[in-house]
Amino acid sequence: MSHNTFGHLFRVTTWGESHGPALGAVVDGCPPGIRFTQDDLQIFLDKRKPGQSRFVTQRREDDIVRVLSGVMPQEDGSMITTGTPVSLMIENTDQRSKDYGEIARRYRPGHADYTYDVKYGIRDYRGGGRSSARETAARVAAGALARQVIPGVTIRGALVQIGKHKINRANWDWAQVNENPFFAPDPEIVPVWEAYLDEIRKAGSSVGAVVEVIAEGVPAGIGAPVYGKLDQDIASNLMSINAVKGVEIGNGFGAAEITGEENADEMRIGPDGKPLFLSNHAGGILGGISTGEPIIARFAIKPTSSILTERRSIDADGHEVEVRTKGRHDPCVGIRAVPVGEAMLACTIVDHYLRDRGQTGRLK
Amino acid sequence: MSHNTFGHLFRVTTWGESHGPALGAVVDGCPPGIRFTQDDLQIFLDKRKPGQSRFVTQRREDDIVRVLSGVMPQEDGSMITTGTPVSLMIENTDQRSKDYGEIARRYRPGHADYTYDVKYGIRDYRGGGRSSARETAARVAAGALARQVIPGVTIRGALVQIGKHKINRANWDWAQVNENPFFAPDPEIVPVWEAYLDEIRKAGSSVGAVVEVIAEGVPAGIGAPVYGKLDQDIASNLMSINAVKGVEIGNGFGAAEITGEENADEMRIGPDGKPLFLSNHAGGILGGISTGEPIIARFAIKPTSSILTERRSIDADGHEVEVRTKGRHDPCVGIRAVPVGEAMLACTIVDHYLRDRGQTGRLK
Amino acid sequence: MSHNTFGHLFRVTTWGESHGPALGAVVDGCPPGIRFTQDDLQIFLDKRKPGQSRFVTQRREDDIVRVLSGVMPQEDGSMITTGTPVSLMIENTDQRSKDYGEIARRYRPGHADYTYDVKYGIRDYRGGGRSSARETAARVAAGALARQVIPGVTIRGALVQIGKHKINRANWDWAQVNENPFFAPDPEIVPVWEAYLDEIRKAGSSVGAVVEVIAEGVPAGIGAPVYGKLDQDIASNLMSINAVKGVEIGNGFGAAEITGEENADEMRIGPDGKPLFLSNHAGGILGGISTGEPIIARFAIKPTSSILTERRSIDADGHEVEVRTKGRHDPCVGIRAVPVGEAMLACTIVDHYLRDRGQTGRLK
Amino acid sequence: MSHNTFGHLFRVTTWGESHGPALGAVVDGCPPGIRFTQDDLQIFLDKRKPGQSRFVTQRREDDIVRVLSGVMPQEDGSMITTGTPVSLMIENTDQRSKDYGEIARRYRPGHADYTYDVKYGIRDYRGGGRSSARETAARVAAGALARQVIPGVTIRGALVQIGKHKINRANWDWAQVNENPFFAPDPEIVPVWEAYLDEIRKAGSSVGAVVEVIAEGVPAGIGAPVYGKLDQDIASNLMSINAVKGVEIGNGFGAAEITGEENADEMRIGPDGKPLFLSNHAGGILGGISTGEPIIARFAIKPTSSILTERRSIDADGHEVEVRTKGRHDPCVGIRAVPVGEAMLACTIVDHYLRDRGQTGRLK
């Protein structure tokens, strides 16, 4: 079934296809009284925008976001949310639908082409239609709004692995992330990835990646113990990003390998008289509820299935065919998934913050 | 926020604490006309039941499930669903609440004790209250009902890793799974795990694990492309299980390491004239929609935080304390998570099956 | 579709049939820290209990409510909510299923028998199964808990019409409501209704009624302007009560007959310096949001279709038959609907209170 | 709380204010494969469009609806739904925001001005912002799409009362409805309403009305017995329309006045061998489930609070003021509510149709 909404109190509904006139998001339940500018949103869309380096798709889209509702325009050009739905729209400008004629009836292996046709009996093959990573522009717009809601929360992301090449975590430096085309926090990995991706790109191939997103400043106590878990909704929302095949929190799959002693995050009273965690194996979440420590999540992105190499497949008429995808594609979609992951984490945290305020009245 | 319901058309709400009078699930939206017996449910509860080997908690619970509503009893003792909510209840019988007096105000490191207190200002410390793995009995009951809904679907699970000890996948034999206390599909790993867990148990320690769950016979075309993705809901529902820290589908995190050529599941027309996938890296899901291939998911479970070793922590009054957990605990909660994972996968698939039938009218 | 849940943050799921072993409600999202006693709930169940006068069904049920989860029992016998789901159960004790053998395959005109069979292909004919007014006991239990959540809110109801006999509103006296078997606020109507209902009862007939429910002390500002309107959810939840065919707020259908001048509730600043409404045609809700004035809703209940008079109908085999319903029925189900309407209003207001606190953070 | 979505499988989210750049609806869950044209939608927007007679607001809006997503354009200019969200947008073109300067800080009695300010602390006073009846254009667009989903269902509405002037039901003639500016089914009432509304209009006043909406051809068996009732969702969705204060189904409040014998819809087997209802007091719904008879609902609309007569009120600074509303308003908003009521009924029925197909698999 189609269900293009996520969130319970801060609810985001996205719509739109790769090659339709526009795409967008409706953010319902945003608290009133939040002042922001067009630039506060645009800055994140620009981060996700295609065509910014040779390592991402060469499609050219300005990705200008328009705010169509839910705000009172102010004299200084800023806007204040009124508590009603905020409609955000991004027009599609650079569509080369003719690139896709060949795959109108052919199924790209590893792509949603086949499953769409089975399910819906119809498919917007132009640019992948709804399954295009272009849909994530709407998420980034919604996430940019979410970032305005809770003061003191910082949400950042970085690429930590491309193919088998992982960063050296000892080199982690947030200041580096925007200094290279990969959102890499480790400057030493940059030349390695450059060389590797050039090779991939020239081969018309693609490769997978791992993204890490971190939220700092999240108050302790948001989430819930069993269902409605904060980590559950983070997993759900990250997994909803195109091409994601795995999600982990804190130690993640590494937690399977260690003992209770190793995994326990011990506590002391800090110099400020407040509870202090001595480690953060839990990734900031215990029993589905935030601990006050940084919330840490990672997600794995498969290589895009749009490759130039011929692969065996079938077509909608039941014939065996060979398929290769022309058009402009990301050799590593994981790169542009960094701002998307940040956006999803931001929306999830705001939603849980508002939920908690509703149920317990504890937060302001 | 509390939100103890999952599913959209096949909706499961669970309730209950470890040491209250009972726990249960309300299954709303179950199709009418499904005939089943008490045994059809009990068999799965028995699989999850504590006290069945020295490798799980020695708590003794019969875990008899009662069906309180939503069925017409038949003369042969079976029941037929009527389409109204099916209420399932399991009474708690073996409660030693006094075991927990010591941790009433002390926070076990790595446990939800601290976060509960921050969030709710109150905590049922007896057996972990709502955060106890005992809650999963209700899920298993709901999952057992879900298994009755779609004919031809088989859902099975196995333990594939304890600590650093992984099975040899070449030895995978489903027939072995119920022949050892670990739900291990590889008979050669059994003595390794036995020796290792005996050691862990004697040390009063605990260890993590990885569970794999597989659904075969799921028709192609259930799920949705962006949100409402089948893999998204699987990730959400598996992550909602206590102590789970990571979830992956098909190749999962392994997909990050390979190229588009390697990851693509090529297709041919099979001897029966139907589409045939030559591999299943996708784990049965492309673009959020089932391919008809087996659906494969794995989840990582952290070591339980209830260990006998003293750890540094604080108490509710802001004192620094040392904590160790008495009581009867699972040295590896991952073992009993196998039937729980199966149940969550079963509920998720049934929910999406009904959703698809609703939106497209395609399935019967 | 089955969807036995209402509410968004204060969510109530009910389950159970008239002649099953039990029925109940799961209240999810109840704020933590609310102290209450068994009696705080029981008092409202007793009000709805059958067999209390000759004007209601003679079925005998103790309707003792049990709290199975979501609370910490206190030494004084009271309970405190922990923020986890509160499961409430009421056992069915007086079931005379044999009364219903005759209508197992016959459709009572005006009853849900026929539509159940069309929809589900199966029907629990014993006592009407899920469609029995007995289900409302679970709502009353949930409503009793809801009443504990917001201090200062008073929710009361009264019967204002039976058949064509309406109360004289000038005689309205809340003190009278519990002094007669009808929840009548007008003592002068009591003998009229007695005589009329005796006649109806002796004829084996039934008659409709109108109930009015009022909430006082609700803070201004809860609800929302277009959807998520407070009056919309009140209408929805009152209409969900069995046999209800109409709902109105404030002036209701009377508002269709008057002009904007007559309908406007003018405002002044009161002696306390606060906004003061000079009238309350709106029933305490403007634009879907509470004004701070009493919230007033009325709902119309049709005569029960279980009557002793023979009516023409058909059976499940397609034969034309005559049907009359034996068993013990309410000559005027509207009487016992008074506490049910109160419960639904209480749950709706609490839900919106928590929603508002979530979105705006304005309320405590 | 804001919750601008209705429906469960056929979900409609609306956004937009009276004087923003645009307003719209996102329809999520629409079945794939439905072919329609721009005109199929526009015809219903034209019916609701302002400025069509002297009895409605003189605001001039073209109300051209644009389809931004969820469809594949066809060569003949039609579109086919793909199963992904259908985004519908209507631009606002005739905005005279300066008309509203005077009420920027004054509360119109009977309007949402005061409650908005209490709740949100901010209010888009221009044209009523989100509370403007202009929002209903988005509903009409969504309803027009809903009408395409189930073949054989006809949904129509009519105005049956203005002020105290009711139609003569014996004169009901659907052919008349589009022949007069009131959607009146009784030609004899037209001159009465003309004279009466001219008087109201000249006095700068307003008056209430009652609308009746009817769905024919709805298959028996959609809905659910207790919650998720078809009549419950109709009540909820009609009550969500601006200014609605009451809703009734079938006999509605009239059912309170009669006996079980009078209210029962007797059944026979018809000449075609199918079940035949001899009357339709139930308005096509028994126990929350459709009977196959026409579904009949009525709703009462209060007089608009925007009137030229001075009324006592207060302003946002706590001063007592006199308020009268300039601008272009509907003397009887009930007239333009007819297509809105039809749209809400259409959406509700389609949603339940899909839900039923999901749960029972009974419908195609």
Side-chain angles (χ1 to χ4, degrees):
Chain A
M1 190 197 64
S2 192
H3 197 319
N4 293 272
T5 297
F6 62 94
H8 195 73
L9 281 191
F10 188 87
R11 265 184 322 287
V12 179
T13 301
T14 81
W15 55 270
E17 280 83 32
S18 179
H19 286 227
L23 50 83
V26 180
V27 181
D28 194 9
C30 187
I34 293 170
R35 183 188 286 260
F36 68 98
T37 65
Q38 168 79 21
D39 276 357
D40 290 333
L41 308 187
Q42 197 60 48
I43 193 173
F44 293 102
L45 282 151
D46 289 349
K47 217 171 145 184
R48 196 212 71 98
K49 206 166 63 175
Q52 302 195 107
S53 81
R54 69 182 185 275
F55 306 110
V56 297
T57 174
Q58 294 309 300
R59 183 167 169 160
R60 297 269 165 204
E61 294 279 4
D62 282 341
D63 282 358
I64 303 297
V65 61
R66 289 184 62 200
V67 182
L68 298 179
S69 70
V71 297
M72 273 299 273
Q74 303 297 302
E75 295 197 353
D76 64 359
S78 71
M79 294 164 265
I80 299 183
T81 59
T82 58
T84 59
V86 180
S87 178
L88 304 164
M89 186 173 73
I90 299 149
E91 291 183 68
N92 289 324
T93 53
D94 180 21
Q95 305 157 7
R96 301 198 196 157
S97 299
K98 63 183 181 305
D99 281 353
Y100 295 94
E102 234 168 79
I103 56 153
R105 300 189 62 77
R106 292 172 172 225
Y107 302 139
R108 283 165 288 177
H111 203 280
D113 298 338
Y114 170 68
T115 53
Y116 264 56
D117 259 11
V118 172
K119 181 182 182 71
Y120 297 118
I122 184 173
R123 170 168 60 98
D124 185 347
Y125 54 83
R126 301 167 302 168
R130 181 77 179 142
S131 75
S132 166
R134 184 143 181 72
E135 182 270 346
T136 59
R139 305 176 185 226
V140 169
L145 181 58
R147 286 170 187 270
Q148 315 298 322
V149 177
I150 318 174
V153 172
T154 303
I155 289 168
R156 296 184 288 195
L159 201 64
V160 298
Q161 181 180 340
I162 292 181
K164 291 189 191 328
H165 305 283
K166 302 184 183 182
I167 63 159
N168 179 349
R169 303 188 77 90
N171 294 341
W172 194 295
D173 177 3
W174 280 114
Q176 291 295 322
V177 165
N178 292 315
E179 302 302 314
N180 62 74
F182 306 111
F183 305 114
D186 167 12
E188 291 179 13
I189 199 77
V190 173
V192 179
W193 287 353
E194 279 180 339
Y196 180 59
L197 274 192
D198 275 335
E199 190 185 310
I200 289 285
R201 190 168 54 84
K202 283 168 191 159
S205 184
S206 65
V207 70
V210 176
V211 174
E212 182 162 322
V213 286
I214 299 180
E216 289 163 290
V218 177
I222 72 169
V226 189
Y227 307 94
K229 289 169 71 170
L230 180 55
D231 36 359
Q232 174 183 9
D233 283 353
I234 291 172
S236 175
N237 291 340
L238 293 178
M239 193 64 105
S240 78
I241 301 171
N242 317 48
V244 174
K245 298 300 281 186
V247 179
E248 56 183 14
I249 307 290
N251 275 358
F253 277 86
E257 305 197 349
I258 58 179
T259 65
E261 287 78 6
E262 293 164 315
N263 193 59
D265 295 316
E266 294 186 291
M267 300 180 78
R268 294 282 86 176
I269 298 295
D272 58 355
K274 292 185 182 160
L276 178 74
F277 283 90
L278 305 181
S279 57
N280 186 18
H281 300 295
I285 301 174
L286 283 175
I289 303 175
S290 63
T291 63
E293 291 292 295
I295 291 170
I296 302 170
R298 273 177 305 284
F299 55 100
I301 294 151
K302 69 175 185 184
T304 180
S305 49
S306 299
I307 49 178
L308 288 173
T309 315
E310 256 185 18
R311 296 275 95 184
R312 289 175 289 173
S313 188
I314 62 171
D315 67 15
D317 305 309
H319 302 123
E320 299 190 336
V321 295
E322 315 299 300
V323 175
R324 64 189 205 91
T325 317
K326 295 176 193 168
R328 299 154 296 171
H329 301 289
D330 287 286
C332 176
V333 281
I335 299 171
R336 292 170 58 217
V338 173
V340 182
E342 292 173 5
M344 297 309 280
L345 185 59
C347 291
T348 312
I349 285 169
V350 169
D351 185 40
H352 274 273
Y353 185 92
L354 302 184
R355 290 182 190 196
D356 182 86
R357 187 159 74 178
Q359 193 192 6
T360 72
R362 194 175 56 86
L363 299 165
K364 275 177 234 163
Chain B
M1 190 198 65
S2 193
H3 197 318
N4 294 272
T5 298
F6 62 93
H8 196 73
L9 280 192
F10 188 88
R11 267 183 321 287
V12 179
T13 302
T14 81
W15 55 269
E17 280 84 32
S18 178
H19 286 226
L23 50 82
V26 180
V27 181
D28 195 8
C30 186
I34 294 169
R35 183 188 286 259
F36 67 99
T37 66
Q38 169 77 21
D39 277 358
D40 290 333
L41 308 187
Q42 198 60 48
I43 193 173
F44 293 102
L45 283 152
D46 289 350
K47 216 171 146 185
R48 195 212 70 100
K49 206 166 61 173
Q52 302 196 109
S53 81
R54 69 182 185 273
F55 305 110
V56 296
T57 176
Q58 296 307 301
R59 182 166 170 161
R60 297 268 166 204
E61 294 280 4
D62 281 342
D63 282 358
I64 303 297
V65 60
R66 288 184 63 200
V67 182
L68 298 179
S69 71
V71 297
M72 274 298 273
Q74 303 298 301
E75 294 197 355
D76 64 0
S78 71
M79 293 165 266
I80 298 182
T81 58
T82 59
T84 61
V86 179
S87 178
L88 303 164
M89 185 172 74
I90 298 149
E91 291 183 68
N92 288 325
T93 53
D94 180 21
Q95 306 157 6
R96 300 196 196 160
S97 299
K98 63 181 179 307
D99 282 353
Y100 295 95
E102 234 168 79
I103 56 154
R105 298 189 63 76
R106 292 171 172 225
Y107 302 138
R108 283 165 288 177
H111 203 278
D113 299 339
Y114 169 68
T115 52
Y116 263 56
D117 260 12
V118 172
K119 180 182 182 73
Y120 298 117
I122 183 172
R123 170 168 61 98
D124 185 347
Y125 54 83
R126 300 166 303 167
R130 181 79 179 140
S131 75
S132 167
R134 183 142 182 73
E135 182 270 347
T136 58
R139 305 176 185 225
V140 170
L145 182 58
R147 286 171 187 269
Q148 315 300 318
V149 176
I150 318 174
V153 172
T154 303
I155 290 168
R156 294 183 289 194
L159 202 64
V160 299
Q161 181 179 341
I162 293 182
K164 291 188 189 332
H165 307 283
K166 301 183 185 183
I167 62 159
N168 178 348
R169 302 187 78 90
N171 294 339
W172 194 295
D173 176 3
W174 281 113
Q176 290 295 322
V177 166
N178 291 314
E179 302 302 314
N180 62 73
F182 305 111
F183 304 114
D186 167 11
E188 290 178 14
I189 200 77
V190 174
V192 178
W193 286 354
E194 277 180 339
Y196 179 58
L197 274 192
D198 275 335
E199 190 186 308
I200 288 285
R201 190 167 54 84
K202 282 168 192 160
S205 184
S206 65
V207 71
V210 177
V211 174
E212 182 162 322
V213 285
I214 299 179
E216 290 163 289
V218 177
I222 73 170
V226 189
Y227 307 93
K229 287 167 72 170
L230 180 55
D231 36 359
Q232 174 183 9
D233 283 353
I234 290 172
S236 176
N237 290 339
L238 293 178
M239 193 64 104
S240 80
I241 300 171
N242 317 51
V244 174
K245 298 301 281 184
V247 179
E248 56 183 15
I249 307 290
N251 274 0
F253 278 85
E257 306 198 349
I258 58 178
T259 64
E261 286 80 5
E262 292 164 316
N263 193 58
D265 295 316
E266 295 185 290
M267 299 180 77
R268 295 280 86 175
I269 298 295
D272 56 356
K274 293 185 182 160
L276 177 75
F277 283 92
L278 305 181
S279 57
N280 186 18
H281 299 296
I285 302 175
L286 283 175
I289 304 174
S290 62
T291 62
E293 290 293 293
I295 291 171
I296 301 170
R298 273 176 304 283
F299 55 101
I301 294 151
K302 70 176 185 183
T304 179
S305 50
S306 299
I307 49 177
L308 288 174
T309 316
E310 257 186 17
R311 298 273 95 184
R312 289 174 291 174
S313 187
I314 63 172
D315 68 15
D317 304 309
H319 302 123
E320 299 190 336
V321 295
E322 315 300 301
V323 175
R324 63 189 204 92
T325 316
K326 295 176 194 167
R328 300 154 295 170
H329 301 289
D330 287 286
C332 177
V333 281
I335 299 171
R336 291 170 59 217
V338 174
V340 182
E342 292 173 4
M344 297 309 281
L345 185 59
C347 290
T348 312
I349 286 170
V350 170
D351 186 39
H352 274 273
Y353 185 93
L354 302 184
R355 290 183 189 195
D356 181 87
R357 189 159 72 180
Q359 192 192 5
T360 71
R362 193 176 56 86
L363 298 166
K364 276 177 233 162
Chain C
M1 189 198 63
S2 194
H3 197 318
N4 293 272
T5 297
F6 61 94
H8 195 73
L9 281 193
F10 187 88
R11 265 183 323 286
V12 179
T13 301
T14 80
W15 54 270
E17 279 85 31
S18 178
H19 286 228
L23 49 84
V26 180
V27 181
D28 195 8
C30 188
I34 294 170
R35 182 188 286 260
F36 68 99
T37 66
Q38 168 79 20
D39 276 357
D40 290 334
L41 308 187
Q42 197 61 47
I43 192 173
F44 293 102
L45 283 152
D46 290 349
K47 217 172 144 184
R48 195 212 70 99
K49 205 166 63 174
Q52 302 195 108
S53 81
R54 68 183 186 274
F55 305 110
V56 297
T57 175
Q58 295 307 300
R59 182 167 169 160
R60 298 268 164 204
E61 294 279 5
D62 281 341
D63 282 358
I64 303 298
V65 60
R66 290 184 63 198
V67 182
L68 297 179
S69 71
V71 297
M72 273 299 272
Q74 303 297 301
E75 295 198 353
D76 64 1
S78 70
M79 295 164 264
I80 299 181
T81 58
T82 58
T84 60
V86 180
S87 178
L88 304 164
M89 184 173 74
I90 299 149
E91 290 184 67
N92 289 325
T93 53
D94 180 20
Q95 304 158 5
R96 299 196 197 160
S97 300
K98 64 181 180 303
D99 282 352
Y100 295 94
E102 236 167 76
I103 56 153
R105 298 189 63 76
R106 291 171 173 226
Y107 302 139
R108 283 165 289 176
H111 203 279
D113 298 338
Y114 170 68
T115 52
Y116 264 57
D117 260 12
V118 171
K119 181 183 181 70
Y120 298 116
I122 184 173
R123 170 169 60 97
D124 185 347
Y125 54 83
R126 300 166 303 168
R130 181 79 179 140
S131 75
S132 168
R134 185 146 180 71
E135 182 270 345
T136 59
R139 305 177 184 224
V140 169
L145 181 59
R147 285 170 187 271
Q148 315 299 319
V149 176
I150 318 173
V153 173
T154 303
I155 289 168
R156 294 184 289 194
L159 201 64
V160 298
Q161 180 181 340
I162 293 182
K164 291 189 188 336
H165 306 283
K166 301 183 183 182
I167 62 159
N168 178 347
R169 303 187 77 90
N171 294 340
W172 193 295
D173 177 2
W174 281 113
Q176 291 294 323
V177 165
N178 291 315
E179 301 302 314
N180 62 73
F182 306 111
F183 304 114
D186 168 12
E188 291 178 14
I189 200 77
V190 173
V192 178
W193 286 354
E194 278 180 339
Y196 179 59
L197 275 192
D198 274 336
E199 192 186 308
I200 288 286
R201 191 169 51 85
K202 282 169 193 160
S205 183
S206 66
V207 70
V210 176
V211 173
E212 182 162 322
V213 287
I214 299 180
E216 289 164 289
V218 177
I222 71 170
V226 189
Y227 307 94
K229 289 169 70 171
L230 180 55
D231 35 0
Q232 174 184 9
D233 283 354
I234 291 172
S236 176
N237 290 340
L238 293 179
M239 193 63 106
S240 80
I241 301 172
N242 318 50
V244 173
K245 297 301 281 186
V247 179
E248 56 183 14
I249 307 290
N251 275 358
F253 277 85
E257 305 198 350
I258 58 178
T259 66
E261 287 79 5
E262 293 165 314
N263 193 59
D265 296 315
E266 295 186 292
M267 300 181 77
R268 295 281 83 175
I269 298 295
D272 58 355
K274 293 185 182 161
L276 177 73
F277 282 92
L278 306 181
S279 57
N280 187 18
H281 298 297
I285 302 174
L286 284 174
I289 304 175
S290 62
T291 63
E293 290 293 294
I295 290 171
I296 302 171
R298 273 177 305 284
F299 55 101
I301 294 151
K302 69 175 185 183
T304 178
S305 50
S306 299
I307 49 177
L308 288 173
T309 315
E310 258 186 18
R311 297 272 95 184
R312 289 174 291 173
S313 187
I314 62 170
D315 68 16
D317 304 309
H319 302 123
E320 299 191 336
V321 294
E322 314 301 300
V323 175
R324 65 190 203 89
T325 318
K326 295 176 194 168
R328 299 155 297 170
H329 301 290
D330 287 286
C332 177
V333 282
I335 300 171
R336 292 168 60 215
V338 174
V340 182
E342 293 173 5
M344 296 310 281
L345 185 59
C347 291
T348 312
I349 286 169
V350 169
D351 186 40
H352 274 273
Y353 185 94
L354 302 184
R355 290 183 190 194
D356 182 86
R357 187 159 74 179
Q359 193 191 5
T360 72
R362 192 176 56 85
L363 299 166
K364 275 176 234 164
Chain D
M1 187 198 65
S2 193
H3 197 318
N4 294 273
T5 298
F6 62 94
H8 196 73
L9 280 193
F10 187 87
R11 266 183 321 288
V12 179
T13 301
T14 81
W15 55 270
E17 279 84 32
S18 178
H19 287 227
L23 49 84
V26 181
V27 181
D28 194 8
C30 186
I34 294 170
R35 182 188 286 259
F36 67 99
T37 65
Q38 169 78 20
D39 277 357
D40 290 333
L41 307 187
Q42 198 60 47
I43 193 173
F44 293 103
L45 282 151
D46 290 349
K47 216 172 146 184
R48 196 212 70 97
K49 206 167 61 174
Q52 303 196 107
S53 80
R54 68 183 186 274
F55 305 110
V56 297
T57 176
Q58 295 307 303
R59 181 166 171 160
R60 297 269 164 202
E61 294 280 5
D62 281 342
D63 283 357
I64 303 298
V65 60
R66 288 184 63 200
V67 182
L68 298 178
S69 70
V71 297
M72 274 298 272
Q74 303 298 301
E75 296 198 353
D76 63 1
S78 70
M79 295 165 263
I80 298 181
T81 58
T82 58
T84 61
V86 180
S87 179
L88 303 164
M89 185 172 73
I90 298 150
E91 290 182 69
N92 289 325
T93 54
D94 180 20
Q95 305 157 8
R96 300 197 196 159
S97 299
K98 63 181 180 305
D99 281 351
Y100 295 94
E102 233 167 81
I103 56 154
R105 298 189 64 75
R106 293 172 171 224
Y107 302 139
R108 283 164 289 176
H111 203 279
D113 298 338
Y114 169 69
T115 53
Y116 263 57
D117 259 12
V118 172
K119 182 182 181 72
Y120 297 117
I122 183 172
R123 170 168 60 97
D124 185 347
Y125 55 83
R126 301 167 303 169
R130 181 77 179 141
S131 75
S132 167
R134 184 142 182 73
E135 181 270 346
T136 58
R139 305 177 185 224
V140 170
L145 182 58
R147 286 171 187 269
Q148 315 299 321
V149 177
I150 319 175
V153 173
T154 303
I155 289 169
R156 294 183 289 194
L159 201 64
V160 298
Q161 182 180 341
I162 293 181
K164 289 189 193 327
H165 307 283
K166 301 184 184 183
I167 63 159
N168 178 349
R169 303 187 79 88
N171 295 339
W172 193 296
D173 176 3
W174 281 114
Q176 291 294 322
V177 166
N178 291 317
E179 301 302 314
N180 61 74
F182 306 111
F183 303 114
D186 168 11
E188 291 179 13
I189 200 77
V190 173
V192 179
W193 286 354
E194 278 180 340
Y196 180 59
L197 274 192
D198 275 335
E199 192 185 308
I200 288 285
R201 190 169 52 85
K202 282 167 193 162
S205 183
S206 65
V207 69
V210 176
V211 173
E212 182 162 322
V213 285
I214 299 180
E216 290 163 289
V218 177
I222 72 171
V226 189
Y227 307 94
K229 288 168 73 170
L230 180 56
D231 35 0
Q232 174 183 9
D233 283 354
I234 291 171
S236 175
N237 290 341
L238 293 178
M239 193 64 106
S240 79
I241 300 171
N242 317 49
V244 174
K245 298 300 281 187
V247 179
E248 55 183 14
I249 307 290
N251 275 359
F253 277 85
E257 306 197 349
I258 57 177
T259 64
E261 286 78 7
E262 292 165 316
N263 193 60
D265 295 316
E266 294 186 290
M267 299 181 78
R268 297 280 85 177
I269 297 296
D272 58 355
K274 292 184 183 163
L276 177 75
F277 282 91
L278 305 181
S279 57
N280 187 18
H281 299 296
I285 302 174
L286 284 175
I289 304 174
S290 63
T291 63
E293 291 292 295
I295 291 171
I296 301 170
R298 274 177 304 283
F299 54 102
I301 294 151
K302 69 174 185 184
T304 178
S305 49
S306 298
I307 49 177
L308 288 174
T309 315
E310 256 186 19
R311 298 274 94 186
R312 290 175 289 174
S313 188
I314 63 171
D315 68 14
D317 304 309
H319 302 123
E320 299 190 337
V321 296
E322 314 300 299
V323 175
R324 64 189 204 93
T325 317
K326 295 176 193 165
R328 299 155 296 171
H329 301 290
D330 287 287
C332 177
V333 281
I335 299 170
R336 290 169 60 218
V338 173
V340 182
E342 291 172 5
M344 296 309 280
L345 185 59
C347 290
T348 313
I349 285 170
V350 169
D351 186 39
H352 275 272
Y353 185 93
L354 302 184
R355 289 183 190 195
D356 181 85
R357 188 160 72 180
Q359 192 191 7
T360 72
R362 194 176 55 85
L363 299 166
K364 275 177 235 163

